[in-house]
Amino acid sequence: MIRSFEAWDYVIFAICLAISLGIGIYHAFFAGGQNTTEKYYYGNRNMGAIPVALSMLVTYQSSIFMLGYPGEMYIYGSMFWLSFIGVGLGFVLVAVFLVPLFHPLNIRSAFEYLELRFKSKAPRLLASFMSIILYIIFMGLVVYGPAITLKTVTQFPLWASMLIVAAGGVFYTSIGGFKAVIWADVFQSIIIVIGIFSILIQGLIKVGGSSEVWRINEMYGRIQFDEFSPDITVRHTIWGLVIGNMIQFFSLGYSQMIVQRIMSTPTSSKAVQASMFAIPGFALFGSISCFLGLMAFAYNVQQGCDPLAKNIIVRPEQALPYFVMDIFDNIVAMPGVFLAALFSASLSTLSSGLNSLPTIIWEDFIKPHFGKKFSENQATLFGKVLVIIFGALAIGFAYLAYLVGGPIVQMTSTVSSCFNGPILGMFVMGAVFKSANSKGAIVGCLSGFIFLLWIALGKVVEKHVTPRLPGGPVTNCTSFSINHINNTQAFRSETTYSINYTTTEISAEMMQSSEGDHEVLGVYKISYMWYTTIGMVVCIAVGMIVSLITGGLKSADDVEFRYLFPLRRMFDSKRVKQYELKEKAKWNSEKETSVELVGEKS
């Protein structure tokens, strides 16, 4: 019988939440305060590689990986597991290309580079505005994850659970600033590790070992790693999962959340170390999360009841919480550990977004025009007010995500790709092609965004959804708690107007839609794994055409080499040598001037 959370579960959760809040209080009042923008937004740029790596890890591994990855594996099988090869390669690209380009520039906003490279504020403001919209939506999806879990297993009011996550993140982010976010991330990563390993160990005991998990999933056709089709309309292929995901995570490196962490380290070598240290964490956390999805399916097969096939649960991301509440039925406080891990994963991402958004607003929109009118205290107070405002907006978008429904992994990937792909295109244009100009960057970025938005909305309108794999047995479902089933039916009745990806009726509709795919425009069938790559390519292609038409070749020689990727500079070694000699002469001149001034004073 499925149990509900008990007193000890809430105690464990409350303790973990209190520690996160305590970290914010400590950095606000006992660690030098947060009275300057350098401290509040960048932690005085003296962070170590390990805490920054852990913060990078949990920033993008939120409730999406705690709930979405297991749900993905549960309904679509093991192919998604290969995506973590792409994740690792993406962060290698960040370490090789992004860090050596950005860190020496000592930039404060991720998009400051665009203004420096293109000698125009327009590309910077466009990318900043798009990122603000993206972060608000993304934070909504992050808040939505744990809220839907509590709604499923405890009937805890949806609005209340959303408020807990948002209020907690707002509190310690607003008062503690960047350092509070980083060290809270470190603590929360420990809680996440404890949570997922607890589920893994207990699940293996219940199912009978990893070989049994594998055997059952293989028997139901869920083990697959050999989809090599070059067709980009196939939802998951090895090319999309590795190459497409590599580009997607490379694009995340240009987000304010990652750039802010890179710039918080004192040296480029520390930033490279942080980027590389994050890779094993992504592989480990992601692999365990994927395996938990297979384990949950195997366990339900053994029990003779697949709750998703029987409509006891209605969304794929509910599969893991349902599994956890069952296997920990007789173990006091262990569901509370899972709850704490889930909320820690969400808080880490939410707080990163809440800290980055005011930084973008301040650095890209306020400081260039009104910065001199603000004292340091006023500037940090302005950031704290923005944290509260964006926290409220996150709740609103979380409720919107709840109404829309759908697999959370695909929802998140699709939304982020529509924005990040074209933005990545602007960065790559600027760092590779000297003839790229601001007009090309703007037109290219907007073209990529509009094209991706057309594909994503078209897929929704045409209802092109990949059918899920056949579910497990349901013969023993009558033995489950009638109260739990009734509660779930009540929950389902609230969402009959949303897209339901798990009910038998909709599955039949999906199958029918799949049979009539010839009526769907081919571009709407493109896998979401390729969206970032498509956005980048469209941006670069259109942007370079516009740049060449508008005189980009004439201004190519004026581009400073420090704004190009280090590897790109190798293709013009003569110009690089001239640039280095020029910089050396400039440095010697400044040094001589400094010595003369010192001599005059003495």
Side-chain angles (χ1 to χ4, degrees):
M1 180 179 293
I2 302 298
R3 55 167 285 194
S4 298
F5 288 126
E6 297 178 355
W8 277 109
D9 300 321
Y10 288 110
V11 169
I12 295 294
F13 166 64
I15 290 173
C16 292
L17 181 61
I19 291 175
S20 294
L21 300 182
I23 292 172
I25 294 172
Y26 171 77
H27 283 284
F29 301 107
F30 304 103
Q34 302 296 317
N35 54 356
T36 68
T37 54
E38 191 70 16
K39 289 180 180 179
Y40 189 73
Y41 294 127
Y42 295 94
N44 264 350
R45 300 182 189 259
N46 61 359
M47 301 301 300
I50 297 297
V52 170
L54 289 173
S55 183
M56 284 184 180
L57 172 63
V58 297
T59 289
Y60 279 108
Q61 298 293 286
S62 59
S63 56
I64 295 165
F65 101 88
M66 286 285 290
L67 301 175
Y69 293 174
E72 176 71 27
M73 300 288 280
Y74 196 99
I75 62 175
Y76 287 120
S78 63
M79 195 70 195
F80 182 76
W81 211 328
L82 296 175
S83 66
F84 293 100
I85 299 175
V87 172
L89 293 175
F91 269 86
V92 169
L93 293 181
V94 169
V96 172
F97 289 97
L98 187 148
V99 172
L101 176 65
F102 274 18
H103 205 279
L105 297 176
N106 199 32
I107 59 177
R108 300 174 66 88
S109 160
F111 313 111
E112 185 179 348
Y113 165 83
L114 296 174
E115 180 179 352
L116 295 172
R117 164 60 183 85
F118 293 114
K119 299 179 180 179
S120 171
K121 292 183 181 296
R124 175 181 183 176
L125 296 178
L126 174 61
S128 298
F129 179 75
M130 290 175 65
S131 294
I132 290 169
I133 302 300
L134 170 61
Y135 286 176
I136 294 172
I137 298 173
F138 182 69
M139 290 191 303
L141 291 172
V142 168
V143 172
Y144 155 76
I148 203 69
T149 300
L150 282 181
K151 179 70 176 178
T152 305
V153 296
T154 68
Q155 292 301 295
F156 194 76
L158 194 72
W159 66 266
S161 53
M162 289 179 178
L163 188 61
I164 290 173
V165 177
V170 165
F171 179 79
Y172 74 78
T173 303
S174 62
I175 68 170
F178 184 77
K179 278 196 173 183
V181 171
I182 292 288
W183 288 110
D185 284 350
V186 172
F187 167 72
Q188 287 155 3
S189 68
I190 296 172
I191 299 302
I192 293 169
V193 168
I194 294 173
I196 62 176
F197 271 97
S198 299
I199 301 168
L200 178 65
I201 294 170
Q202 180 67 4
L204 288 174
I205 293 172
K206 288 284 188 177
V207 176
S210 58
S211 59
E212 184 67 6
V213 173
W214 208 259
R215 184 190 68 80
I216 293 174
N217 279 275
E218 198 167 33
M219 182 172 65
Y220 278 82
R222 277 171 157 72
I223 304 300
Q224 181 190 17
F225 296 102
D226 58 353
E227 181 55 82
F228 288 93
S229 172
D231 186 355
I232 63 173
T233 64
V234 177
R235 187 173 187 269
H236 285 160
T237 67
I238 190 169
W239 314 113
L241 291 168
V242 175
I243 299 175
N245 215 39
M246 176 184 70
I247 300 300
Q248 182 176 348
F249 269 78
F250 182 43
S251 75
L252 296 180
Y254 291 88
S255 69
Q256 180 65 23
M257 288 192 282
I258 296 299
V259 170
Q260 208 165 331
R261 279 148 184 74
I262 288 173
M263 300 308 297
S264 72
T265 57
T267 63
S268 296
S269 61
K270 289 286 186 183
V272 169
Q273 289 174 16
S275 301
M276 299 303 288
F277 288 163
I279 294 174
F282 274 109
L284 177 64
F285 280 27
S287 293
I288 293 176
S289 296
C290 287
F291 187 74
L292 292 180
L294 298 179
M295 183 187 294
F297 182 80
Y299 176 81
N300 290 332
V301 169
Q302 290 178 334
Q303 300 301 306
C305 180
D306 181 350
L308 203 56
K310 188 63 175 176
N311 298 335
I312 296 174
I313 57 177
V314 296
R315 299 170 189 258
E317 59 267 17
Q318 294 169 343
L320 183 65
Y322 194 86
F323 169 64
V324 168
M325 297 303 291
D326 203 9
I327 64 173
F328 286 127
D329 183 37
N330 298 315
I331 303 179
V332 175
M334 287 312 298
V337 173
F338 167 70
L339 182 66
L342 176 61
F343 272 81
S344 293
S346 295
L347 279 170
S348 61
T349 304
L350 179 66
S351 61
S352 297
L354 290 175
N355 183 251
S356 294
L357 277 169
T359 307
I360 295 174
I361 297 289
W362 172 253
E363 294 291 342
D364 294 339
F365 294 95
I366 305 301
K367 184 179 176 181
H369 303 287
F370 309 105
K372 293 181 180 180
K373 297 180 179 180
F374 285 80
S375 67
E376 285 291 311
N377 281 331
Q378 290 173 332
T380 55
L381 178 61
F382 176 77
K384 294 173 183 179
V385 172
L386 287 179
V387 168
I388 297 172
I389 293 173
F390 286 124
L393 288 173
I395 296 177
F397 276 88
Y399 196 77
L400 180 63
Y402 160 70
L403 295 179
V404 172
I408 193 170
V409 173
Q410 183 168 339
M411 288 169 61
T412 306
S413 180
T414 299
V415 170
S416 63
S417 294
C418 286
F419 290 88
N420 285 333
I423 291 174
L424 174 62
M426 281 203 290
F427 280 107
V428 173
M429 275 180 61
V432 173
F433 302 102
K434 293 192 295 180
S435 56
N437 61 23
S438 61
K439 296 183 180 68
I442 293 169
V443 175
C445 181
L446 291 175
S447 299
F449 175 72
I450 292 170
F451 185 69
L452 284 179
L453 192 63
W454 170 50
I455 296 175
L457 292 178
K459 180 171 286 193
V460 173
V461 172
E462 295 289 342
K463 298 181 180 179
H464 178 72
V465 183
T466 304
R468 61 188 175 96
L469 295 173
V474 295
T475 52
N476 292 339
C477 287
T478 54
S479 64
F480 279 69
S481 169
I482 190 67
N483 289 331
H484 183 83
I485 295 176
N486 288 338
N487 286 337
T488 307
Q489 288 173 342
F491 167 73
R492 187 164 59 246
S493 68
E494 297 175 10
T495 60
T496 54
Y497 46 82
S498 67
I499 301 173
N500 192 326
Y501 286 80
T502 56
T503 64
T504 305
E505 293 79 13
I506 294 298
S507 294
E509 181 183 325
M510 290 176 187
M511 294 299 292
Q512 184 178 4
S513 173
S514 180
E515 292 170 0
D517 270 353
H518 64 277
E519 299 177 359
V520 178
L521 192 63
V523 73
Y524 297 151
K525 302 178 187 177
I526 294 175
S527 169
Y528 71 99
M529 298 302 302
W530 291 106
Y531 283 4
T532 302
T533 304
I534 291 172
M536 179 189 71
V537 170
V538 170
C539 174
I540 294 174
V542 174
M544 287 309 301
I545 292 173
V546 173
S547 293
L548 294 176
I549 293 174
T550 56
L553 288 174
K554 296 179 181 178
S555 59
D557 290 338
D558 297 332
V559 176
E560 295 186 39
F561 275 83
R562 58 178 176 163
Y563 300 140
L564 302 178
F565 286 136
L567 291 178
R568 167 62 180 84
R569 300 168 195 168
M570 296 170 58
F571 291 94
D572 200 346
S573 56
K574 183 178 179 181
R575 287 287 310 280
V576 171
K577 189 67 176 177
Q578 293 175 350
Y579 174 75
E580 289 176 348
L581 291 173
K582 181 180 177 182
E583 288 295 303
K584 186 175 181 181
K586 180 181 177 182
W587 183 83
N588 287 333
S589 175
E590 291 175 350
K591 184 178 180 181
E592 291 174 1
T593 302
S594 177
V595 171
E596 291 175 0
L597 290 173
V598 171
E600 290 176 2
K601 289 182 179 180
S602 61

